[in-house]
C-alpha cells in the first residue's frame, strides 16, 4: 500500500457519485468525543502522538506487512440513508498501477473507475444512460488514493503539519487517546486511538476550512485478522443526522491475475462519451 495524502471530501465523492441522488444532508453534529469522567484524567504525561501512531501501525501488523501487499481485493455492502436496499462496493488494487473501484446501488446505477496499468477509465451507469470516459493514469492514481479506506487509515498522519496528544477522551464509548492534527489549510483533525487495542477507533474533521463547517465523524469497527494484518471490517461515516455505513464482507491479498478483466476499460455504447 503506497503512502499518500488523502483529501477527505474527495473520498466521499469517490465512494459513489450517486450519493447526491439520495438528498445527502449534513448538519452540525454534537461533539463526538466526550471528556473522561472526573478523576480519571491521566496523571502522567500522555504518550507522544508519534509513539501512539507507531503503536497503531504495529498493532495492525507492522509496516513491513503493509508495504508487502502487491494486490488487494475488498468487497462489501454500503448503506445510505433513504435507500431501501444496500449497495455493493469493490476495491481492487494491484501492482503495475492496476486498479478498479466500483459502487452499485439497486435501481440507481453504478459508478466506477480504474486502470489496466496503461489506460485509465471511468464509468457512470444510471437508468437509461451509460458514460465511459478516458482518464489519465495520474487521475486514476489520485482517485485510488482517495477511495481506499485502508490506505486512508494508515496514512492519516502523513498529511498533517503537526500532531500532538491532547490526552484521554471517550470516543463513542471507548477509552481512547486523542491526537490533534493540524493541516496547512487550517483544518484541525482529531484521531482517536483505542487504549486497549492500540488500534484506530476513528477520527473527526470539518468538511472544509470555512468557519462553522460541518464536522464529520468516521468510526472504524470490527477489527479482524486478515493474513498478517488486523483490519477493520466496518466503517461508519456520521454527519448530523446522516449515517453512511460500509460493511466489508471479504478481503483477499495477492490473488489477482495479471490479465484480470476488471482492470480493462468497460465496453462502450453509441451513447457513451469518450474523452
Amino acid at each position: 500500500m503506497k503512502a499518500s495524502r488523502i483529501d477527505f471530501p474527495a473520498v466521499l465523492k469517490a465512494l459513489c457519485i450517486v450519493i447526491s441522488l439520495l438528498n445527502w444532508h449534513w448538519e452540525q453534529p454534537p461533539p463526538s468525543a466526550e471528556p473522561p469522567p472526573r478523576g480519571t484524567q491521566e496523571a502522567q504525561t500522555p504518550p507522544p502522538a508519534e509513539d501512539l501512531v507507531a503503536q497503531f501501525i504495529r498493532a495492525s501488523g507492522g509496516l513491513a506487512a503493509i508495504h508487502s501487499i502487491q494486490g488487494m481485493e475488498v468487497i462489501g455492502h454500503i448503506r445510505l440513508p433513504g435507500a431501501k436496499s444496500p449497495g455493493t462496493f469493490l476495491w481492487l488494487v494491484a501492482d503495475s498501477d492496476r486498479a478498479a473501484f466500483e459502487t452499485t446501488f439497486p435501481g440507481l446505477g453504478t459508478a466506477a473507475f480504474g486502470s489496466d496499468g496503461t489506460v485509465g477509465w471511468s464509468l457512470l451507469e444510471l437508468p437509461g444512460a451509460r458514460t465511459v470516459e478516458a482518464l489519465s493514469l495520474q487521475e486514476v492514481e489520485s482517485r485510488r488514493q482517495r477511495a481506499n479506506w485502508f490506505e486512508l487509515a494508515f496514512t492519516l498522519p502523513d498529511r498533517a503539519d503537526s500532531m500532538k496528544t491532547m490526552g484521554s477522551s471517550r470516543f463513542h464509548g471507548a477509552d481512547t487517546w486523542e491526537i490533534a492534527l493540524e493541516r496547512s489549510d487550517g483544518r484541525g483533525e482529531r484521531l482517536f486511538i483505542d487504549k486497549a487495542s492500540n488500534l484506530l477507533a476513528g477520527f473527526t474533521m470539518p468538511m472544509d476550512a470555512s468557519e462553522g463547517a460541518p464536522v464529520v465523524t468516521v468510526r472504524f469497527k470490527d477489527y479482524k485478522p486478515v493474513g498478517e494484518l488486523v483490519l477493520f471490517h466496518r466503517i461508519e461515516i456520521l454527519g448530523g443526522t446522516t449515517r453512511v455505513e460500509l460493511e466489508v464482507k471479504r478481503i483477499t491479498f495477492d490473488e489477482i491475475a495479471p490479465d484480470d478483466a476488471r482492470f480493462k476499460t468497460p465496453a462502450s455504447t453509441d451513447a457513451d462519451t469518450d474523452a
Side-chain angles (χ1 to χ4, degrees), residues 114-154:
S115 166
D116 62 2
T118 303
V119 177
W121 52 269
S122 70
L123 166 70
L124 179 59
E125 188 167 26
L126 302 175
R130 175 184 170 91
T131 301
V132 177
E133 297 182 343
L135 294 179
S136 69
L137 295 183
Q138 292 78 9
E139 176 63 19
V140 173
E141 173 73 1
S142 177
R143 293 192 186 192
R144 180 196 65 78
Q145 292 171 353
R146 298 193 300 262
N148 188 337
W149 278 91
F150 295 103
E151 186 170 332
L152 169 68
F154 287 130

Side-chain angles (χ1 to χ4, degrees), residues 74-78 87-91 246-250:
V74 183
I75 62 172
H77 293 152
I78 178 170
T88 60
F89 65 83
L90 164 71
W91 308 336
L246 291 87
E247 180 183 6
V248 174
K249 307 298 291 186
R250 189 181 75 205

Side-chain angles (χ1 to χ4, degrees), residues 20 32 89 101 151:
S20 60
S32 59
F89 65 83
F101 286 77
E151 186 170 332

Side-chain angles (χ1 to χ4, degrees), residues 42-85:
E42 300 292 327
Q44 72 275 21
T45 301
E50 293 79 5
D51 291 353
L52 291 172
V53 171
Q55 290 174 10
F56 158 54
I57 295 298
R58 286 196 295 271
S60 298
L63 283 176
I66 293 171
H67 291 312
S68 69
I69 297 172
Q70 299 299 311
M72 182 178 190
E73 179 177 353
V74 183
I75 62 172
H77 293 152
I78 178 170
R79 293 174 173 83
L80 299 180
K84 295 182 179 180
S85 301

Side-chain angles (χ1 to χ4, degrees), residues 168-210:
S168 298
S169 67
R170 296 279 294 176
F171 182 75
H172 292 271
D175 290 323
T176 64
W177 292 111
E178 180 176 350
I179 300 173
L181 303 182
E182 296 299 330
R183 296 183 57 179
S184 58
D185 64 3
R187 277 187 287 179
E189 303 176 27
R190 294 291 188 270
L191 304 187
F192 299 90
I193 304 293
D194 189 285
K195 288 186 177 182
S197 66
N198 291 327
L199 295 169
L200 180 64
F203 68 93
T204 64
M205 70 172 292
M207 281 292 290
D208 54 56
S210 63

